[in-house]
Amino acid sequence: MAQPLNHSQLEYLNAALNSGELQQVRRMMNGGLKPADVAHLIESSPPKIRTLLWNMVDQDNEGEVLQYLSFDLQESFLREMNAEELIAAVEHLDIDDLADMLQHLPSTIISEVLRSMDQQDRERLEQVLSYPEDSAGGLMNTDTITVRADISIDTALRYLRWHSEIPAMTDSLFVVSRKDVFIGILPLTRLLVSDPNISIREVMITDTITIPATMPDTDVAKLFERHDLVSAPVVGDDNVLLGRITIDDVVDVIREESDHSLMSMAGLDDDADTFSPTLKTARRRAVWLGINLITAFIASAVIGMFEATIQKVVALAVLMPIVASMGGIAGSQTLTLMIRGQALGQVERSNMGWLLNRELLVGLLNGVLWAVVIACLAMLWFKDITIGIIIASAIMINLIAAALSGTMLPLLLKAWGIDPALAGSVILTTITDVVGFMSFLGLATIFYA
Amino acid sequence: MAQPLNHSQLEYLNAALNSGELQQVRRMMNGGLKPADVAHLIESSPPKIRTLLWNMVDQDNEGEVLQYLSFDLQESFLREMNAEELIAAVEHLDIDDLADMLQHLPSTIISEVLRSMDQQDRERLEQVLSYPEDSAGGLMNTDTITVRADISIDTALRYLRWHSEIPAMTDSLFVVSRKDVFIGILPLTRLLVSDPNISIREVMITDTITIPATMPDTDVAKLFERHDLVSAPVVGDDNVLLGRITIDDVVDVIREESDHSLMSMAGLDDDADTFSPTLKTARRRAVWLGINLITAFIASAVIGMFEATIQKVVALAVLMPIVASMGGIAGSQTLTLMIRGQALGQVERSNMGWLLNRELLVGLLNGVLWAVVIACLAMLWFKDITIGIIIASAIMINLIAAALSGTMLPLLLKAWGIDPALAGSVILTTITDVVGFMSFLGLATIFYA
């Protein structure tokens, strides 16, 4: 029985690669492993080994492996092929997977592939390509099985038996009118338990979810998650059935969406490849470091305003990072919770008031608690009561500023069409740094003047 | 046709709640909305409104709504019920959902529920409860439909028609031996296109994935994702079929797993509830702030070692946060990429060498680039060439330290059984703060001595 790829196999393959036993590796790449595992193996390898592994895949298997690879890798491998190889590699793919792949290639290649297809497939592909990649239309497949409401269950069963195969992930037949208007679904599980003599109309489900082709893919994912769907019909204007979306593609959307927040908050591309080459990686990271350098210089400029005070009381320089850092930590907790709440569709204008109120109270409570602790430690360290009072006040001010900006920033950024996960943490750090240094050093200037 | 819950409905309901039109809300809660949407509405509300909404759900619908709520909320609502209400609420739930719910309740309630069930259901539930919640066994359901290999397709179809319904998410029949040993699967899509007169043995698929009951749920999720599964058989010792896992439960695991990295890196619980009450929130956050305070004081202690130097050259105090902050940003990029690579199963011992090498090179390249930029800016600002040389060296040292620790920390922490997403960022910040301040102020002490 085929066992999934496991850690030891990955280690084994790497050992075989390192010792140059390429024949063994080649055998595993073409038959020993499932295509999805071959793709995983390629993705888990550094660039040079990737090319080596990819070249070992027999041409017959290329299309199968290709569809499990990330877009970046698909693109780089497809670009190396001539049109003929490419057409051979992609001819057995699902329309939606093919459309996803093609969207990343030059239009000359797209037309080459389109020309190689029969008319029906070409029209289907062109339809899917006409929708944005991140919409229901771009995610859909056109391999629906449709039936009329007035035929009997027995006729439907005989109709199915004509097929040599039914597309994977088919859990329902779609019931449509003569003009392809969507009427309802007939789950296979219901088809199989129904009396063969009654009509589909009597057992079909009309109270079901339909997805407009223009719906964003993240909303599609929420529907699938919330209603435990395996597949769902995609409809166009006037409720005409265009295709279907299946859970396997939705799982990818969910994974990408969750990755997006994590990666963006660290300034990484969602599809940043763990093994992308040095120069590409360095270039991408440099941009983020540059943006954060601006933040850092703004903070320095604030400190620069108080050089005289620091010269007088050097302890301020020692303690000031504590104020900024506590604000940054508290703010990023609020920010992360808000960004997740937005991604889950839980945060709306109507409940923002309550959230802001809660966060401000939490900021106040933790502000008081840690202000007292830090003040005591500072007073003990520097034997100075004044510095305790100053740092306590600054901590309170900064934690409340952190709560306020952590709550409001994601909302404002989203309203302005800016991605909160990407821009949120940089702006938040700027705020907590500026407020932290300004309040601490400003109060010190007043007290020690 | 039932339309999914949308933003305007959420706003509408909130408006109705605010204006006290409770009858209207009650109608929507019991029939107007699907149970999953009612659950979402409850989760998207502050505590008081939650209780109000939950109390509006008719007792007949409670079980349906309950299964879509998060564990925290399930627990708090279930604890309010007496045994009788509870049994009524949960009696129609799937075994796996019921097991998940019960795992969070006192054992007296568990035995009460077990006693209320018939023997078959009780045995099934006890079996699921015997596995950890985060294992395949804890995730599985026992509602499999099994057939023998030697019966004909026609017999199988007639056998299915005896059922009044087939469980949702059933995409395959499981073929087992007389002793319940798993032999293969027969997808419904294949059953429906096969010649009724041949035997199941001739069309079943034996080269399929089976899941050991002890497999961690995150590995189960990877299998489902990689092989586009809708359901998969769970087997015990000697390949005996125990149950099945379905994609709807796996999607929850994927969502939780992805959330885990994001939330843990900000020191939040994975299941932190966007709307949890003030005191609970404040308490959880206080712990994280306390841990980070230790980091901040360590950094301060390092700065404290160089008080005399700062007193001499106050510009050092102005510039030192830049060195620490650039290190922190660069390190957290590497750390995030590694943590995601680990979660995707891409990072292994065998490719660590390449990754470390790449990250060090990236650190070096960006170190040189930004060292030059920052040095120029610092020299222009303070009209001092020495300070430019010092900050350039410190930036280079800290970016390389950041690359090294960002790459190695997740690996070491994982080997020690510590969650890299939770502990990684705190330790990393400590390292980049200490190295940053130490190198910058240390070099300054040498140069300005």
Side-chain angles (χ1 to χ4, degrees):
Chain A
M1 207 152 294
Q3 280 304 312
L5 184 73
N6 54 40
H7 296 291
S8 60
Q9 274 177 295
L10 200 57
E11 296 285 335
Y12 166 80
L13 273 166
N14 274 297
L17 275 174
N18 289 333
S19 62
E21 291 170 41
L22 298 187
Q23 266 322 102
Q24 234 163 322
V25 178
R26 190 186 293 272
R27 260 200 307 278
M28 291 202 76
M29 301 289 284
N30 297 288
L33 290 171
K34 286 173 182 284
D37 289 327
V38 173
H40 178 71
L41 185 67
I42 291 174
E43 294 217 321
S44 305
S45 303
K48 271 186 202 149
I49 300 187
R50 273 183 182 169
T51 314
L52 186 74
L53 288 174
W54 173 248
N55 289 332
M56 283 187 191
V57 177
D58 290 344
Q59 196 167 329
D60 296 349
N61 302 330
E62 280 180 352
E64 274 288 301
V65 173
L66 215 46
Q67 66 174 310
Y68 292 106
L69 290 171
S70 67
F71 291 136
D72 264 19
L73 280 181
Q74 282 177 358
E75 196 185 329
S76 72
F77 293 148
L78 287 176
R79 276 178 190 280
E80 298 291 306
M81 296 181 181
N82 61 40
E84 205 176 312
E85 284 173 334
L86 195 141
I87 289 163
V90 302
E91 67 181 343
H92 298 300
L93 294 181
D94 282 349
I95 294 287
D96 60 335
D97 291 332
L98 182 55
D100 285 348
M101 257 184 230
L102 290 180
Q103 246 143 359
H104 298 265
L105 292 175
S107 58
T108 51
I109 297 188
I110 299 182
S111 26
E112 196 104 34
V113 172
L114 281 170
R115 228 172 311 145
S116 77
M117 303 175 94
D118 66 37
Q119 197 191 336
Q120 195 190 22
D121 278 350
R122 181 165 56 237
E123 279 170 10
R124 287 175 170 178
L125 181 59
E126 280 171 339
Q127 187 172 40
V128 176
L129 281 171
S130 73
Y131 292 99
E133 194 190 344
D134 58 355
S135 71
L139 207 61
M140 78 180 173
N141 214 328
T142 51
D143 58 353
T144 54
I145 298 187
T146 56
V147 288
R148 295 283 157 73
D150 49 13
I151 67 169
S152 71
I153 295 293
D154 187 53
T155 312
L157 286 169
R158 277 186 289 123
Y159 167 67
L160 288 177
R161 211 164 295 137
W162 283 351
H163 291 72
S164 59
E165 65 175 7
I166 298 178
M169 304 266 158
T170 298
D171 66 330
S172 295
L173 309 181
F174 294 152
V175 187
V176 293
S177 75
R178 203 165 290 271
K179 288 186 164 170
D180 259 355
V181 172
F182 177 80
I183 298 171
I185 61 167
L186 176 58
L188 298 186
T189 52
R190 189 173 274 211
L191 173 73
L192 286 164
V193 299
S194 297
D195 176 352
N197 302 312
I198 63 175
S199 74
I200 285 181
R201 190 180 309 281
E202 290 170 72
V203 288
M204 69 181 181
I205 300 171
T206 54
D207 174 27
T208 187
I209 283 164
T210 55
I211 296 177
T214 51
M215 182 183 271
D217 59 358
T218 50
D219 287 356
V220 174
K222 275 183 207 122
L223 280 183
F224 268 73
E225 258 187 286
R226 206 174 293 159
H227 299 283
D228 294 346
L229 304 174
V230 171
S231 75
V234 177
V235 295
D237 298 337
D238 305 320
N239 227 26
V240 169
L241 181 70
L242 298 176
R244 63 179 188 133
I245 291 177
T246 50
I247 182 73
D248 53 327
D249 296 315
V250 172
V251 165
D252 295 340
V253 173
I254 292 173
R255 181 64 90 177
E256 278 164 32
E257 195 197 2
S258 309
D259 263 9
H260 173 79
S261 302
L262 176 70
M263 299 290 274
S264 299
M265 286 188 83
L268 298 164
D269 280 349
D270 317 9
D271 57 347
D273 169 5
T274 313
F275 297 94
S276 70
T278 308
L279 277 179
K280 199 172 168 189
T281 309
R283 206 161 349 116
R284 285 181 177 178
R285 304 255 184 104
V287 177
W288 189 245
L289 285 170
I291 293 169
N292 278 278
L293 183 61
I294 300 173
T295 297
F297 264 104
I298 293 174
S300 289
V302 173
I303 301 171
M305 292 160 54
F306 302 98
E307 271 189 62
T309 313
I310 294 173
Q311 185 111 48
K312 212 188 282 178
V313 189
V314 184
L316 296 174
V318 176
L319 292 175
M320 68 185 184
I322 295 176
V323 182
S325 132
M326 291 297 273
I329 295 289
S332 84
Q333 287 203 304
T334 305
L335 184 73
T336 304
L337 200 75
M338 290 291 296
I339 286 172
R340 195 189 63 145
Q342 283 183 330
L344 297 178
Q346 290 180 337
V347 175
E348 299 286 335
R349 244 179 318 144
S350 57
N351 51 32
M352 270 306 299
W354 187 88
L355 276 173
L356 181 60
N357 200 32
R358 201 257 327 258
E359 288 301 321
L360 285 175
L361 264 170
V362 169
L364 189 69
L365 286 171
N366 272 315
V368 171
L369 170 68
W370 293 111
V372 171
V373 172
I374 295 168
C376 292
L377 291 170
M379 287 191 282
L380 283 173
W381 188 350
F382 292 100
K383 316 270 182 276
D384 178 0
I385 293 178
T386 314
I387 212 163
I389 296 170
I390 294 170
I391 202 167
S393 317
I395 288 279
M396 296 244 324
I397 293 171
N398 209 16
L399 285 204
I400 289 169
L404 192 66
S405 44
T407 317
M408 297 308 292
L409 260 179
L411 206 75
L412 292 175
L413 289 172
K414 207 179 166 194
W416 294 332
I418 302 168
D419 177 12
L422 188 65
S425 57
V426 182
I427 302 180
L428 181 93
T429 312
T430 312
I431 294 175
T432 51
D433 275 2
V434 169
V435 172
F437 291 132
M438 187 83 85
S439 57
F440 182 57
L441 298 175
L443 284 171
T445 307
I446 297 168
F447 273 81
Y448 290 114
Chain B
M1 208 152 293
Q3 279 304 312
L5 184 72
N6 54 39
H7 296 290
S8 61
Q9 273 177 297
L10 200 57
E11 296 285 336
Y12 166 80
L13 272 165
N14 274 298
L17 275 173
N18 289 334
S19 62
E21 292 170 41
L22 298 187
Q23 267 321 101
Q24 232 164 323
V25 178
R26 189 185 294 271
R27 260 199 308 276
M28 292 202 76
M29 302 289 286
N30 298 286
L33 290 172
K34 286 174 182 282
D37 290 326
V38 173
H40 178 70
L41 185 68
I42 291 175
E43 294 216 322
S44 304
S45 303
K48 269 186 205 150
I49 299 186
R50 273 184 181 166
T51 314
L52 186 73
L53 289 174
W54 172 247
N55 289 333
M56 282 187 191
V57 177
D58 289 346
Q59 197 168 328
D60 296 350
N61 302 330
E62 280 180 352
E64 275 286 303
V65 173
L66 214 46
Q67 66 174 311
Y68 293 105
L69 289 171
S70 67
F71 289 137
D72 263 20
L73 279 181
Q74 280 177 359
E75 197 185 329
S76 72
F77 291 149
L78 287 174
R79 277 178 190 279
E80 297 291 307
M81 297 180 180
N82 61 39
E84 205 175 312
E85 284 173 333
L86 196 141
I87 290 163
V90 302
E91 68 182 342
H92 298 299
L93 294 181
D94 282 350
I95 295 287
D96 60 335
D97 291 332
L98 182 54
D100 284 348
M101 256 185 232
L102 289 179
Q103 247 144 356
H104 299 265
L105 291 176
S107 57
T108 49
I109 296 188
I110 300 183
S111 28
E112 197 104 34
V113 172
L114 281 170
R115 228 173 311 146
S116 77
M117 303 176 96
D118 66 37
Q119 198 190 334
Q120 195 191 22
D121 278 348
R122 181 164 58 237
E123 280 170 9
R124 287 174 170 179
L125 181 59
E126 280 171 338
Q127 189 174 37
V128 176
L129 281 171
S130 72
Y131 293 99
E133 193 191 343
D134 59 355
S135 70
L139 206 61
M140 77 181 174
N141 214 328
T142 51
D143 57 354
T144 55
I145 299 187
T146 56
V147 288
R148 295 283 155 72
D150 50 12
I151 66 169
S152 71
I153 295 293
D154 187 52
T155 312
L157 285 170
R158 277 185 290 123
Y159 166 67
L160 287 177
R161 210 164 296 136
W162 283 351
H163 292 73
S164 59
E165 64 175 8
I166 298 178
M169 304 268 157
T170 298
D171 65 330
S172 295
L173 309 181
F174 295 151
V175 188
V176 293
S177 75
R178 202 166 291 273
K179 288 185 163 169
D180 258 356
V181 172
F182 176 80
I183 298 172
I185 61 167
L186 176 59
L188 297 187
T189 52
R190 188 172 275 212
L191 172 74
L192 286 165
V193 298
S194 298
D195 176 351
N197 301 311
I198 63 175
S199 75
I200 284 182
R201 190 180 309 282
E202 291 169 72
V203 288
M204 70 181 180
I205 299 171
T206 53
D207 174 27
T208 187
I209 283 164
T210 56
I211 296 176
T214 51
M215 182 183 271
D217 59 358
T218 51
D219 288 355
V220 173
K222 276 183 205 120
L223 280 183
F224 268 72
E225 258 187 287
R226 206 175 295 161
H227 300 283
D228 293 347
L229 305 174
V230 171
S231 76
V234 177
V235 295
D237 299 336
D238 306 320
N239 228 26
V240 169
L241 181 71
L242 298 176
R244 65 178 188 133
I245 291 176
T246 50
I247 182 73
D248 52 328
D249 296 316
V250 172
V251 165
D252 295 340
V253 173
I254 292 173
R255 182 64 89 176
E256 278 164 31
E257 196 197 3
S258 309
D259 264 7
H260 173 79
S261 302
L262 176 71
M263 300 290 273
S264 298
M265 286 188 83
L268 297 164
D269 281 350
D270 318 9
D271 58 347
D273 170 3
T274 314
F275 297 92
S276 70
T278 308
L279 277 179
K280 200 173 169 190
T281 308
R283 203 160 352 113
R284 284 181 177 178
R285 304 255 183 103
V287 177
W288 188 245
L289 285 169
I291 293 170
N292 279 278
L293 184 60
I294 300 173
T295 297
F297 264 104
I298 292 175
S300 290
V302 172
I303 301 171
M305 291 161 55
F306 301 99
E307 269 189 64
T309 313
I310 294 173
Q311 184 110 50
K312 212 187 285 177
V313 189
V314 184
L316 296 174
V318 176
L319 294 174
M320 68 185 185
I322 294 176
V323 181
S325 133
M326 290 297 274
I329 295 289
S332 83
Q333 287 202 302
T334 305
L335 184 73
T336 304
L337 199 75
M338 290 290 297
I339 286 172
R340 194 188 65 146
Q342 284 182 330
L344 297 178
Q346 291 181 336
V347 175
E348 299 287 334
R349 245 180 317 144
S350 57
N351 50 32
M352 270 305 299
W354 188 88
L355 276 174
L356 181 59
N357 200 32
R358 202 258 327 257
E359 287 300 321
L360 285 176
L361 264 171
V362 169
L364 190 68
L365 285 173
N366 273 315
V368 171
L369 170 68
W370 293 111
V372 171
V373 172
I374 295 168
C376 292
L377 291 171
M379 288 192 281
L380 282 174
W381 188 351
F382 292 101
K383 315 270 182 276
D384 176 0
I385 292 179
T386 314
I387 213 164
I389 297 170
I390 295 170
I391 202 167
S393 318
I395 288 280
M396 296 243 326
I397 293 171
N398 209 18
L399 285 203
I400 288 169
L404 191 67
S405 44
T407 318
M408 297 308 293
L409 260 180
L411 205 75
L412 293 173
L413 289 172
K414 206 181 168 193
W416 295 332
I418 302 168
D419 177 11
L422 188 65
S425 58
V426 183
I427 302 180
L428 182 93
T429 313
T430 312
I431 294 175
T432 51
D433 275 1
V434 168
V435 172
F437 291 132
M438 187 82 86
S439 56
F440 182 57
L441 298 176
L443 284 171
T445 307
I446 297 168
F447 273 80
Y448 291 112

